[in-house]
Structures are given as structure tokens and as C-alpha cells.
Amino acid sequence: DFDESLARLKRFAMSAKRSDATILVTPELFLGGYRTDGVTAIGDLDLVATIARDVEIHLIVGFAEKLSDGVANSAVAIDKYGKILGVYRKCHLFGELENRAFRRGNTISKLFHFDDVRVGILICYDVEFPEAVRTVAMRGADIIFVPTANFHPYDFVNDHLIRVRAFENGIPVVYCNWSKHLFLRL
């Protein structure tokens, strides 16, 4: 649920900051969890922005965004001052379930600036299209962040394709997947 996701985000942000990280990226649809049935859109990102500002860390957070005609699988970029820089909506929806649950984005990532770093965002399946990564790189991104919810039997994406996309474009690609270990309750 949203409140639990928000609490986890705050814990992760504080832990990342203690480790001297400047940017924290979460998996695809982190706020509320990855679902394709009964998707609940997150309307208010002010609480997420407050975490970024209070912890002083840049955030890229996956969430379900309410649109006038449905819900988008989105990621928000928020700077360490708590300013919402913008939202990227997933352009390449994977399979029948995602296509039924979400509205497709229509623009490959514009760039967001975290201090002097030009950041591009793609979401999951988007990175499997070489043109999408090339577009972000050609726009001048210094790094591309990819929140994802990839699963077996598509491990070759994690193990090989991400490295190839980075190599093809001469740019770091940070791929953040869900992990059952990430959310263990102690």
C-alpha cells in the first residue's frame, strides 16, 4: 500500500544517504507495488518530494500515475531540494496485461538535471528497444536510469542486454529491479 511504500522509501533514502549516495532509484511501480489488476493510481507526490528534501537525496520513483483517461506506468524525478522535475511514462507496455492496465506514454525520456548530471529515464521494457536508449543518449544524457519489474524467464535482459545497451551508447545504464530480499521485514 502507499503508506507502507512511502515508509520503505524513506528508510531506503536514509540508508542510501548514509552510504554517501546522491541518487536513489526504485523499481518499477514501487509506490503501491507492481500490479496490473485493480491498479490504484498515486495522486499526490508531495510526500515523496518531502522525503527527497528532508534526506537531501535525488529520487527516481516508480508509481502508477492517474491520467484523465486511465493510469500510466510512470517514474518521477525529484531533486534533493524536493522539486518535482518531471514524470516519464512508460512507452513500451509489455504484454496483454500491461496494455489493458496502463495508458502508453508518447515521448521517450526528456532529460532531468540532478545538479550537473543530465539524467534520462526509461521503464523496464523500454530499454529492450535500442532506439529508445539511443534517443536518450543522443539527447545528451550522462546516465540512464531504468526502474524495472523484470522476471524469469527474461533474465537475459538483466544479465546481458543492459550491458549491451550501455556499451552501444557509451553511457551508464542503471537497471533497478524488484528483489524479494529488498523488502524483508526484520
Side-chain angles (χ1 to χ4, degrees), residues 126-158:
D126 288 333
V127 80
E128 295 186 39
F129 296 86
E131 298 84 357
V133 180
R134 178 61 48 97
T135 297
V136 178
M138 295 290 287
R139 288 190 175 146
D142 296 310
I143 188 167
I144 301 172
F145 289 95
V146 185
T148 191
N150 198 15
F151 52 91
H152 181 75
Y154 304 104
D155 308 72
F156 69 92
V157 174
N158 311 359

PDB file of all heavy atoms in Angstrom, residues 126-158:
ATOM      1  N   ASP A 126      10.992  -0.651 -22.093  1.00  0.00           N
ATOM      2  CA  ASP A 126      11.523   0.410 -22.962  1.00  0.00           C
ATOM      3  C   ASP A 126      12.974   0.165 -23.336  1.00  0.00           C
ATOM      4  O   ASP A 126      13.390   0.446 -24.458  1.00  0.00           O
ATOM      5  CB  ASP A 126      11.457   1.777 -22.257  1.00  0.00           C
ATOM      6  CG  ASP A 126      10.065   2.347 -22.110  1.00  0.00           C
ATOM      7  OD1 ASP A 126       9.180   2.020 -22.931  1.00  0.00           O
ATOM      8  OD2 ASP A 126       9.858   3.141 -21.166  1.00  0.00           O
ATOM      9  N   VAL A 127      13.783  -0.328 -22.384  1.00  0.00           N
ATOM     10  CA  VAL A 127      15.220  -0.487 -22.591  1.00  0.00           C
ATOM     11  C   VAL A 127      15.536  -1.598 -23.594  1.00  0.00           C
ATOM     12  O   VAL A 127      16.636  -1.650 -24.128  1.00  0.00           O
ATOM     13  CB  VAL A 127      15.949  -0.715 -21.242  1.00  0.00           C
ATOM     14  CG1 VAL A 127      15.819  -2.149 -20.775  1.00  0.00           C
ATOM     15  CG2 VAL A 127      17.395  -0.294 -21.309  1.00  0.00           C
ATOM     16  N   GLU A 128      14.571  -2.451 -23.875  1.00  0.00           N
ATOM     17  CA  GLU A 128      14.804  -3.546 -24.821  1.00  0.00           C
ATOM     18  C   GLU A 128      14.762  -3.079 -26.271  1.00  0.00           C
ATOM     19  O   GLU A 128      15.086  -3.837 -27.174  1.00  0.00           O
ATOM     20  CB  GLU A 128      13.805  -4.672 -24.562  1.00  0.00           C
ATOM     21  CG  GLU A 128      14.026  -5.303 -23.191  1.00  0.00           C
ATOM     22  CD  GLU A 128      13.172  -6.519 -22.938  1.00  0.00           C
ATOM     23  OE1 GLU A 128      12.983  -7.322 -23.890  1.00  0.00           O
ATOM     24  OE2 GLU A 128      12.697  -6.664 -21.800  1.00  0.00           O
ATOM     25  N   PHE A 129      14.379  -1.831 -26.489  1.00  0.00           N
ATOM     26  CA  PHE A 129      14.347  -1.258 -27.825  1.00  0.00           C
ATOM     27  C   PHE A 129      15.569  -0.351 -27.984  1.00  0.00           C
ATOM     28  O   PHE A 129      15.669   0.677 -27.319  1.00  0.00           O
ATOM     29  CB  PHE A 129      13.046  -0.482 -28.032  1.00  0.00           C
ATOM     30  CG  PHE A 129      11.838  -1.378 -27.977  1.00  0.00           C
ATOM     31  CD1 PHE A 129      11.248  -1.677 -26.757  1.00  0.00           C
ATOM     32  CD2 PHE A 129      11.330  -1.940 -29.134  1.00  0.00           C
ATOM     33  CE1 PHE A 129      10.158  -2.532 -26.696  1.00  0.00           C
ATOM     34  CE2 PHE A 129      10.239  -2.794 -29.084  1.00  0.00           C
ATOM     35  CZ  PHE A 129       9.648  -3.089 -27.860  1.00  0.00           C
ATOM     36  N   PRO A 130      16.512  -0.730 -28.854  1.00  0.00           N
ATOM     37  CA  PRO A 130      17.747   0.047 -28.965  1.00  0.00           C
ATOM     38  C   PRO A 130      17.505   1.513 -29.305  1.00  0.00           C
ATOM     39  O   PRO A 130      18.237   2.387 -28.851  1.00  0.00           O
ATOM     40  CB  PRO A 130      18.538  -0.656 -30.066  1.00  0.00           C
ATOM     41  CG  PRO A 130      17.640  -1.636 -30.691  1.00  0.00           C
ATOM     42  CD  PRO A 130      16.460  -1.848 -29.791  1.00  0.00           C
ATOM     43  N   GLU A 131      16.443   1.786 -30.050  1.00  0.00           N
ATOM     44  CA  GLU A 131      16.156   3.166 -30.441  1.00  0.00           C
ATOM     45  C   GLU A 131      15.807   4.028 -29.243  1.00  0.00           C
ATOM     46  O   GLU A 131      16.119   5.229 -29.213  1.00  0.00           O
ATOM     47  CB  GLU A 131      14.998   3.205 -31.457  1.00  0.00           C
ATOM     48  CG  GLU A 131      15.283   2.492 -32.747  1.00  0.00           C
ATOM     49  CD  GLU A 131      15.007   0.974 -32.684  1.00  0.00           C
ATOM     50  OE1 GLU A 131      14.641   0.463 -31.602  1.00  0.00           O
ATOM     51  OE2 GLU A 131      15.173   0.319 -33.726  1.00  0.00           O
ATOM     52  N   ALA A 132      15.147   3.452 -28.251  1.00  0.00           N
ATOM     53  CA  ALA A 132      14.773   4.223 -27.061  1.00  0.00           C
ATOM     54  C   ALA A 132      16.017   4.667 -26.303  1.00  0.00           C
ATOM     55  O   ALA A 132      16.160   5.838 -25.933  1.00  0.00           O
ATOM     56  CB  ALA A 132      13.853   3.387 -26.159  1.00  0.00           C
ATOM     57  N   VAL A 133      16.931   3.737 -26.081  1.00  0.00           N
ATOM     58  CA  VAL A 133      18.166   4.066 -25.364  1.00  0.00           C
ATOM     59  C   VAL A 133      18.990   5.052 -26.184  1.00  0.00           C
ATOM     60  O   VAL A 133      19.524   6.036 -25.659  1.00  0.00           O
ATOM     61  CB  VAL A 133      18.970   2.791 -25.042  1.00  0.00           C
ATOM     62  CG1 VAL A 133      20.251   3.139 -24.291  1.00  0.00           C
ATOM     63  CG2 VAL A 133      18.125   1.810 -24.238  1.00  0.00           C
ATOM     64  N   ARG A 134      19.079   4.820 -27.475  1.00  0.00           N
ATOM     65  CA  ARG A 134      19.842   5.717 -28.351  1.00  0.00           C
ATOM     66  C   ARG A 134      19.258   7.125 -28.320  1.00  0.00           C
ATOM     67  O   ARG A 134      19.989   8.117 -28.277  1.00  0.00           O
ATOM     68  CB  ARG A 134      19.851   5.163 -29.780  1.00  0.00           C
ATOM     69  CG  ARG A 134      20.578   6.014 -30.819  1.00  0.00           C
ATOM     70  CD  ARG A 134      22.060   6.233 -30.542  1.00  0.00           C
ATOM     71  NE  ARG A 134      22.786   5.044 -30.213  1.00  0.00           N
ATOM     72  CZ  ARG A 134      23.499   4.311 -31.050  1.00  0.00           C
ATOM     73  NH1 ARG A 134      23.601   4.654 -32.313  1.00  0.00           N
ATOM     74  NH2 ARG A 134      24.137   3.245 -30.621  1.00  0.00           N
ATOM     75  N   THR A 135      17.944   7.244 -28.322  1.00  0.00           N
ATOM     76  CA  THR A 135      17.293   8.558 -28.273  1.00  0.00           C
ATOM     77  C   THR A 135      17.693   9.322 -27.024  1.00  0.00           C
ATOM     78  O   THR A 135      18.059  10.503 -27.092  1.00  0.00           O
ATOM     79  CB  THR A 135      15.756   8.404 -28.338  1.00  0.00           C
ATOM     80  OG1 THR A 135      15.412   7.805 -29.595  1.00  0.00           O
ATOM     81  CG2 THR A 135      15.053   9.740 -28.216  1.00  0.00           C
ATOM     82  N   VAL A 136      17.651   8.664 -25.882  1.00  0.00           N
ATOM     83  CA  VAL A 136      18.021   9.327 -24.619  1.00  0.00           C
ATOM     84  C   VAL A 136      19.503   9.707 -24.636  1.00  0.00           C
ATOM     85  O   VAL A 136      19.876  10.818 -24.233  1.00  0.00           O
ATOM     86  CB  VAL A 136      17.688   8.427 -23.406  1.00  0.00           C
ATOM     87  CG1 VAL A 136      18.122   9.081 -22.108  1.00  0.00           C
ATOM     88  CG2 VAL A 136      16.191   8.125 -23.357  1.00  0.00           C
ATOM     89  N   ALA A 137      20.349   8.804 -25.117  1.00  0.00           N
ATOM     90  CA  ALA A 137      21.778   9.095 -25.189  1.00  0.00           C
ATOM     91  C   ALA A 137      22.056  10.265 -26.133  1.00  0.00           C
ATOM     92  O   ALA A 137      22.854  11.156 -25.814  1.00  0.00           O
ATOM     93  CB  ALA A 137      22.552   7.856 -25.642  1.00  0.00           C
ATOM     94  N   MET A 138      21.389  10.292 -27.277  1.00  0.00           N
ATOM     95  CA  MET A 138      21.600  11.359 -28.262  1.00  0.00           C
ATOM     96  C   MET A 138      21.109  12.713 -27.753  1.00  0.00           C
ATOM     97  O   MET A 138      21.586  13.752 -28.197  1.00  0.00           O
ATOM     98  CB  MET A 138      20.901  11.021 -29.583  1.00  0.00           C
ATOM     99  CG  MET A 138      21.476   9.803 -30.290  1.00  0.00           C
ATOM    100  SD  MET A 138      23.104  10.074 -30.964  1.00  0.00           S
ATOM    101  CE  MET A 138      22.709  11.111 -32.341  1.00  0.00           C
ATOM    102  N   ARG A 139      20.176  12.689 -26.812  1.00  0.00           N
ATOM    103  CA  ARG A 139      19.706  13.951 -26.215  1.00  0.00           C
ATOM    104  C   ARG A 139      20.732  14.518 -25.238  1.00  0.00           C
ATOM    105  O   ARG A 139      20.562  15.625 -24.756  1.00  0.00           O
ATOM    106  CB  ARG A 139      18.371  13.738 -25.523  1.00  0.00           C
ATOM    107  CG  ARG A 139      17.252  13.547 -26.519  1.00  0.00           C
ATOM    108  CD  ARG A 139      15.892  13.573 -25.885  1.00  0.00           C
ATOM    109  NE  ARG A 139      14.902  13.508 -26.949  1.00  0.00           N
ATOM    110  CZ  ARG A 139      13.746  12.903 -26.855  1.00  0.00           C
ATOM    111  NH1 ARG A 139      13.388  12.320 -25.731  1.00  0.00           N
ATOM    112  NH2 ARG A 139      12.920  12.896 -27.869  1.00  0.00           N
ATOM    113  N   GLY A 140      21.762  13.712 -24.928  1.00  0.00           N
ATOM    114  CA  GLY A 140      22.833  14.216 -24.081  1.00  0.00           C
ATOM    115  C   GLY A 140      22.823  13.719 -22.650  1.00  0.00           C
ATOM    116  O   GLY A 140      23.496  14.299 -21.793  1.00  0.00           O
ATOM    117  N   ALA A 141      22.110  12.642 -22.382  1.00  0.00           N
ATOM    118  CA  ALA A 141      22.085  12.105 -21.016  1.00  0.00           C
ATOM    119  C   ALA A 141      23.487  11.666 -20.594  1.00  0.00           C
ATOM    120  O   ALA A 141      24.247  11.133 -21.389  1.00  0.00           O
ATOM    121  CB  ALA A 141      21.124  10.925 -20.925  1.00  0.00           C
ATOM    122  N   ASP A 142      23.805  11.905 -19.338  1.00  0.00           N
ATOM    123  CA  ASP A 142      25.049  11.402 -18.753  1.00  0.00           C
ATOM    124  C   ASP A 142      24.860   9.989 -18.214  1.00  0.00           C
ATOM    125  O   ASP A 142      25.817   9.228 -18.099  1.00  0.00           O
ATOM    126  CB  ASP A 142      25.509  12.304 -17.596  1.00  0.00           C
ATOM    127  CG  ASP A 142      25.857  13.705 -18.055  1.00  0.00           C
ATOM    128  OD1 ASP A 142      26.628  13.824 -19.038  1.00  0.00           O
ATOM    129  OD2 ASP A 142      25.361  14.674 -17.446  1.00  0.00           O
ATOM    130  N   ILE A 143      23.616   9.652 -17.886  1.00  0.00           N
ATOM    131  CA  ILE A 143      23.291   8.345 -17.304  1.00  0.00           C
ATOM    132  C   ILE A 143      21.804   8.081 -17.542  1.00  0.00           C
ATOM    133  O   ILE A 143      21.009   9.026 -17.596  1.00  0.00           O
ATOM    134  CB  ILE A 143      23.643   8.316 -15.794  1.00  0.00           C
ATOM    135  CG1 ILE A 143      23.510   6.919 -15.221  1.00  0.00           C
ATOM    136  CG2 ILE A 143      22.821   9.332 -15.008  1.00  0.00           C
ATOM    137  CD1 ILE A 143      24.147   6.779 -13.830  1.00  0.00           C
ATOM    138  N   ILE A 144      21.462   6.812 -17.719  1.00  0.00           N
ATOM    139  CA  ILE A 144      20.058   6.428 -17.897  1.00  0.00           C
ATOM    140  C   ILE A 144      19.665   5.513 -16.750  1.00  0.00           C
ATOM    141  O   ILE A 144      20.338   4.516 -16.480  1.00  0.00           O
ATOM    142  CB  ILE A 144      19.821   5.710 -19.242  1.00  0.00           C
ATOM    143  CG1 ILE A 144      20.220   6.621 -20.411  1.00  0.00           C
ATOM    144  CG2 ILE A 144      18.356   5.271 -19.369  1.00  0.00           C
ATOM    145  CD1 ILE A 144      20.194   5.938 -21.773  1.00  0.00           C
ATOM    146  N   PHE A 145      18.571   5.857 -16.087  1.00  0.00           N
ATOM    147  CA  PHE A 145      18.024   5.033 -15.013  1.00  0.00           C
ATOM    148  C   PHE A 145      16.805   4.287 -15.534  1.00  0.00           C
ATOM    149  O   PHE A 145      15.968   4.868 -16.221  1.00  0.00           O
ATOM    150  CB  PHE A 145      17.632   5.896 -13.812  1.00  0.00           C
ATOM    151  CG  PHE A 145      18.813   6.451 -13.085  1.00  0.00           C
ATOM    152  CD1 PHE A 145      19.294   7.712 -13.373  1.00  0.00           C
ATOM    153  CD2 PHE A 145      19.454   5.702 -12.112  1.00  0.00           C
ATOM    154  CE1 PHE A 145      20.390   8.226 -12.713  1.00  0.00           C
ATOM    155  CE2 PHE A 145      20.552   6.201 -11.443  1.00  0.00           C
ATOM    156  CZ  PHE A 145      21.022   7.468 -11.740  1.00  0.00           C
ATOM    157  N   VAL A 146      16.719   2.999 -15.185  1.00  0.00           N
ATOM    158  CA  VAL A 146      15.636   2.152 -15.678  1.00  0.00           C
ATOM    159  C   VAL A 146      14.997   1.395 -14.518  1.00  0.00           C
ATOM    160  O   VAL A 146      15.450   0.316 -14.134  1.00  0.00           O
ATOM    161  CB  VAL A 146      16.155   1.145 -16.739  1.00  0.00           C
ATOM    162  CG1 VAL A 146      14.984   0.356 -17.332  1.00  0.00           C
ATOM    163  CG2 VAL A 146      16.938   1.847 -17.830  1.00  0.00           C
ATOM    164  N   PRO A 147      13.924   1.958 -13.923  1.00  0.00           N
ATOM    165  CA  PRO A 147      13.155   1.173 -12.964  1.00  0.00           C
ATOM    166  C   PRO A 147      12.507  -0.001 -13.713  1.00  0.00           C
ATOM    167  O   PRO A 147      11.995   0.178 -14.824  1.00  0.00           O
ATOM    168  CB  PRO A 147      12.079   2.148 -12.472  1.00  0.00           C
ATOM    169  CG  PRO A 147      12.593   3.512 -12.823  1.00  0.00           C
ATOM    170  CD  PRO A 147      13.421   3.317 -14.061  1.00  0.00           C
ATOM    171  N   THR A 148      12.533  -1.186 -13.120  1.00  0.00           N
ATOM    172  CA  THR A 148      12.003  -2.354 -13.808  1.00  0.00           C
ATOM    173  C   THR A 148      11.331  -3.321 -12.836  1.00  0.00           C
ATOM    174  O   THR A 148      11.519  -3.237 -11.627  1.00  0.00           O
ATOM    175  CB  THR A 148      13.125  -3.076 -14.595  1.00  0.00           C
ATOM    176  OG1 THR A 148      12.534  -4.053 -15.446  1.00  0.00           O
ATOM    177  CG2 THR A 148      14.121  -3.732 -13.686  1.00  0.00           C
ATOM    178  N   ALA A 149      10.567  -4.221 -13.412  1.00  0.00           N
ATOM    179  CA  ALA A 149       9.968  -5.340 -12.675  1.00  0.00           C
ATOM    180  C   ALA A 149      10.145  -6.586 -13.535  1.00  0.00           C
ATOM    181  O   ALA A 149       9.204  -7.320 -13.811  1.00  0.00           O
ATOM    182  CB  ALA A 149       8.491  -5.077 -12.375  1.00  0.00           C
ATOM    183  N   ASN A 150      11.362  -6.808 -13.988  1.00  0.00           N
ATOM    184  CA  ASN A 150      11.643  -7.926 -14.874  1.00  0.00           C
ATOM    185  C   ASN A 150      11.630  -9.243 -14.094  1.00  0.00           C
ATOM    186  O   ASN A 150      11.919  -9.268 -12.907  1.00  0.00           O
ATOM    187  CB  ASN A 150      12.994  -7.734 -15.553  1.00  0.00           C
ATOM    188  CG  ASN A 150      13.140  -8.609 -16.779  1.00  0.00           C
ATOM    189  OD1 ASN A 150      12.169  -9.153 -17.283  1.00  0.00           O
ATOM    190  ND2 ASN A 150      14.349  -8.749 -17.250  1.00  0.00           N
ATOM    191  N   PHE A 151      11.296 -10.323 -14.784  1.00  0.00           N
ATOM    192  CA  PHE A 151      11.134 -11.610 -14.112  1.00  0.00           C
ATOM    193  C   PHE A 151      11.610 -12.742 -15.013  1.00  0.00           C
ATOM    194  O   PHE A 151      11.830 -12.549 -16.208  1.00  0.00           O
ATOM    195  CB  PHE A 151       9.660 -11.815 -13.725  1.00  0.00           C
ATOM    196  CG  PHE A 151       8.704 -11.611 -14.888  1.00  0.00           C
ATOM    197  CD1 PHE A 151       8.335 -12.665 -15.700  1.00  0.00           C
ATOM    198  CD2 PHE A 151       8.201 -10.346 -15.172  1.00  0.00           C
ATOM    199  CE1 PHE A 151       7.475 -12.483 -16.763  1.00  0.00           C
ATOM    200  CE2 PHE A 151       7.330 -10.151 -16.247  1.00  0.00           C
ATOM    201  CZ  PHE A 151       6.973 -11.222 -17.040  1.00  0.00           C
ATOM    202  N   HIS A 152      11.767 -13.909 -14.418  1.00  0.00           N
ATOM    203  CA  HIS A 152      12.137 -15.116 -15.151  1.00  0.00           C
ATOM    204  C   HIS A 152      10.990 -15.457 -16.102  1.00  0.00           C
ATOM    205  O   HIS A 152       9.843 -15.351 -15.715  1.00  0.00           O
ATOM    206  CB  HIS A 152      12.378 -16.266 -14.163  1.00  0.00           C
ATOM    207  CG  HIS A 152      12.790 -17.531 -14.831  1.00  0.00           C
ATOM    208  ND1 HIS A 152      14.058 -17.711 -15.339  1.00  0.00           N
ATOM    209  CD2 HIS A 152      12.099 -18.657 -15.096  1.00  0.00           C
ATOM    210  CE1 HIS A 152      14.113 -18.917 -15.883  1.00  0.00           C
ATOM    211  NE2 HIS A 152      12.948 -19.501 -15.748  1.00  0.00           N
ATOM    212  N   PRO A 153      11.215 -15.785 -17.326  1.00  0.00           N
ATOM    213  CA  PRO A 153      12.430 -16.262 -17.991  1.00  0.00           C
ATOM    214  C   PRO A 153      13.169 -15.189 -18.785  1.00  0.00           C
ATOM    215  O   PRO A 153      13.880 -15.507 -19.728  1.00  0.00           O
ATOM    216  CB  PRO A 153      11.898 -17.342 -18.925  1.00  0.00           C
ATOM    217  CG  PRO A 153      10.583 -16.779 -19.385  1.00  0.00           C
ATOM    218  CD  PRO A 153      10.034 -16.042 -18.174  1.00  0.00           C
ATOM    219  N   TYR A 154      13.041 -13.932 -18.409  1.00  0.00           N
ATOM    220  CA  TYR A 154      13.662 -12.851 -19.176  1.00  0.00           C
ATOM    221  C   TYR A 154      14.957 -12.370 -18.532  1.00  0.00           C
ATOM    222  O   TYR A 154      15.366 -11.224 -18.706  1.00  0.00           O
ATOM    223  CB  TYR A 154      12.663 -11.692 -19.335  1.00  0.00           C
ATOM    224  CG  TYR A 154      11.388 -12.168 -19.975  1.00  0.00           C
ATOM    225  CD1 TYR A 154      10.236 -12.352 -19.221  1.00  0.00           C
ATOM    226  CD2 TYR A 154      11.349 -12.476 -21.330  1.00  0.00           C
ATOM    227  CE1 TYR A 154       9.067 -12.819 -19.801  1.00  0.00           C
ATOM    228  CE2 TYR A 154      10.182 -12.941 -21.921  1.00  0.00           C
ATOM    229  CZ  TYR A 154       9.053 -13.113 -21.155  1.00  0.00           C
ATOM    230  OH  TYR A 154       7.908 -13.581 -21.735  1.00  0.00           O
ATOM    231  N   ASP A 155      15.646 -13.260 -17.823  1.00  0.00           N
ATOM    232  CA  ASP A 155      16.884 -12.925 -17.126  1.00  0.00           C
ATOM    233  C   ASP A 155      17.985 -12.435 -18.064  1.00  0.00           C
ATOM    234  O   ASP A 155      18.872 -11.697 -17.638  1.00  0.00           O
ATOM    235  CB  ASP A 155      17.415 -14.148 -16.362  1.00  0.00           C
ATOM    236  CG  ASP A 155      16.380 -14.763 -15.466  1.00  0.00           C
ATOM    237  OD1 ASP A 155      15.446 -15.392 -16.001  1.00  0.00           O
ATOM    238  OD2 ASP A 155      16.500 -14.611 -14.245  1.00  0.00           O
ATOM    239  N   PHE A 156      17.938 -12.828 -19.334  1.00  0.00           N
ATOM    240  CA  PHE A 156      18.968 -12.392 -20.274  1.00  0.00           C
ATOM    241  C   PHE A 156      19.001 -10.868 -20.382  1.00  0.00           C
ATOM    242  O   PHE A 156      20.058 -10.290 -20.650  1.00  0.00           O
ATOM    243  CB  PHE A 156      18.758 -13.012 -21.669  1.00  0.00           C
ATOM    244  CG  PHE A 156      17.544 -12.500 -22.377  1.00  0.00           C
ATOM    245  CD1 PHE A 156      17.623 -11.404 -23.224  1.00  0.00           C
ATOM    246  CD2 PHE A 156      16.309 -13.122 -22.201  1.00  0.00           C
ATOM    247  CE1 PHE A 156      16.489 -10.927 -23.872  1.00  0.00           C
ATOM    248  CE2 PHE A 156      15.176 -12.645 -22.846  1.00  0.00           C
ATOM    249  CZ  PHE A 156      15.267 -11.541 -23.678  1.00  0.00           C
ATOM    250  N   VAL A 157      17.871 -10.211 -20.137  1.00  0.00           N
ATOM    251  CA  VAL A 157      17.854  -8.745 -20.160  1.00  0.00           C
ATOM    252  C   VAL A 157      18.758  -8.225 -19.045  1.00  0.00           C
ATOM    253  O   VAL A 157      19.640  -7.394 -19.278  1.00  0.00           O
ATOM    254  CB  VAL A 157      16.417  -8.194 -20.009  1.00  0.00           C
ATOM    255  CG1 VAL A 157      16.436  -6.678 -19.887  1.00  0.00           C
ATOM    256  CG2 VAL A 157      15.552  -8.639 -21.176  1.00  0.00           C
ATOM    257  N   ASN A 158      18.545  -8.740 -17.826  1.00  0.00           N
ATOM    258  CA  ASN A 158      19.350  -8.328 -16.668  1.00  0.00           C
ATOM    259  C   ASN A 158      20.814  -8.684 -16.886  1.00  0.00           C
ATOM    260  O   ASN A 158      21.705  -7.876 -16.601  1.00  0.00           O
ATOM    261  CB  ASN A 158      18.895  -9.034 -15.389  1.00  0.00           C
ATOM    262  CG  ASN A 158      17.416  -8.991 -15.153  1.00  0.00           C
ATOM    263  OD1 ASN A 158      16.653  -8.424 -15.924  1.00  0.00           O
ATOM    264  ND2 ASN A 158      16.991  -9.596 -14.075  1.00  0.00           N
TER     265      ASN A 158
END
